[in-house]
């Protein structure tokens, strides 16, 4: 069974094999890399990034979240009672990032909102899960589904500080302007890097 083209019926069979009745409660998702790791892997090329973002079946139930790696069928079960800091936010290329902590381990996945054809069920299930706050796991949905400038609200506000620093250094004709410029540039990169569209996330 190919892991990159799972259709809805194939995924439903996998959900049932996990002991769960498939409804709008499962996603085709990928492991999500942090901003720093993602940037480093992008420099190495698409193959390095793809290898670091394996595909998963992600199932939400009232008692647990189940993640089954599609390449080797390895199953991880995250009990709700042991799960903290569940967050959902907009990702790159019209995706949604799902983050949580489980007994000291940080777990992160992303799923595409705009899936089509064989993966249309992913977009449909994702919309249903967002509507019910991921079965109540998500207590704050304010960081997902933003459009236009609203989706960039925090990076835009945060960018004012390094830009203001550069302007102040120019106005004061500071001796170490190059150092401040480098610091401001680094801050801007850290703010905006997670928002840069990533072509492999289509």
């Amino acid at each position: 069974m190919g892991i990159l083209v799972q259709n809805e019926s194939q995924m439903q069979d996998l959900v049932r094999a996990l002991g769960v009745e498939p409804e709008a409660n499962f996603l085709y998702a990928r492991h999500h890399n942090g901003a720093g790791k993602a940037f480093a892997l992008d420099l190495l090329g698409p193959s390095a990034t793809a290898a670091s973002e394996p595909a998963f079946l992600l199932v939400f139930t009232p008692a647990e979240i189940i993640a089954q790696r599609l390449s080797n069928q390895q199953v991880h079960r995250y009990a709700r009672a042991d799960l903290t800091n569940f967050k959902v936010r907009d990702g790159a290329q019209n995706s949604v990032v799902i983050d949580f902590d489980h007994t000291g381990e940080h777990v992160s996945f992303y799923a595409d909102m705009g899936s089509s054809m064989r993966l249309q069920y992913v977009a449909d299930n994702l919309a249903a899960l967002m509507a019910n706050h991921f079965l109540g796991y998500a207590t704050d949905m304010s960081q997902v589904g933003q459009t236009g400038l609203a989706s960039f609200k925090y990076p835009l506000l945060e960018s004012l500080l390094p830009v203001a620093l550069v302007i102040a250094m120019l106005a004061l004709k500071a001796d170490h302007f190059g150092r401040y410029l480098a610091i401001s540039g680094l801050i801007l990169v850290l703010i905006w890097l997670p928002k840069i569209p990533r072509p492999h996330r289509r």
Side-chain angles (χ1 to χ4, degrees), residues 24 127-138:
L129 284 166
M130 287 193 292
N132 64 29
H133 289 210
F134 288 81
L135 275 66
Y137 284 94

Side-chain angles (χ1 to χ4, degrees), residues 16 19 22-23 28 62 64-65 99 113 124 127 144 184 192 202:
R16 289 190 185 95
E23 298 171 347
Y28 173 88
E64 63 181 351
I65 297 173
D99 293 306
M113 295 178 68
D124 294 340
V144 68
S184 298
W192 284 96
R202 291 187 182 275

Side-chain angles (χ1 to χ4, degrees), residues 19-194:
V20 179
E21 184 60 29
E23 298 171 347
N25 57 356
F26 66 94
L27 298 171
Y28 173 88
R30 287 189 171 273
H31 171 74
H32 179 256
N33 293 319
K37 183 177 180 180
F39 179 72
L41 289 167
D42 281 345
L43 294 178
L44 296 175
S47 60
T49 299
S52 73
E53 295 184 341
F56 282 84
L57 163 64
L58 201 59
V59 184
F60 295 85
T61 78
E64 63 181 351
I65 297 173
I66 308 170
Q68 180 175 356
R69 188 166 177 166
L70 295 176
S71 61
N72 58 14
Q73 308 302 307
Q74 184 179 17
V75 176
H76 302 272
R77 294 180 180 267
Y78 304 101
R80 186 172 195 145
D82 300 324
L83 191 147
T84 58
N85 300 321
F86 186 96
K87 296 179 181 177
V88 183
R89 58 185 170 84
D90 286 333
Q93 293 291 85
N94 203 28
S95 66
V96 170
V97 178
I98 302 163
D99 293 306
F100 57 87
D101 295 320
H102 183 265
T103 61
E105 175 190 8
H106 181 70
V107 184
S108 186
F109 299 95
Y110 74 89
D112 292 323
M113 295 178 68
S115 300
S116 60
M117 298 176 66
R118 285 172 64 90
L119 296 180
Q120 178 59 43
Y121 70 91
V122 180
D124 294 340
N125 288 359
L126 189 54
L129 284 166
M130 287 193 292
N132 64 29
H133 289 210
F134 288 81
L135 275 66
Y137 284 94
T139 57
D140 180 7
M141 296 291 291
S142 64
Q143 297 301 308
V144 68
Q146 300 287 349
T147 58
L149 288 178
S151 63
F152 294 94
K153 180 173 65 173
Y154 295 110
L156 280 175
L157 290 175
E158 294 164 358
S159 297
L160 294 178
L161 177 60
V163 170
L165 180 61
V166 171
I167 293 173
M169 292 304 100
L170 283 172
L172 296 173
K173 297 181 180 179
D175 294 335
H176 302 289
F177 175 72
R179 181 186 304 168
Y180 290 108
L181 183 62
I183 293 172
S184 298
L186 178 61
I187 293 173
L188 286 171
V189 167
L190 293 175
I191 291 170
W192 284 96
L193 185 60

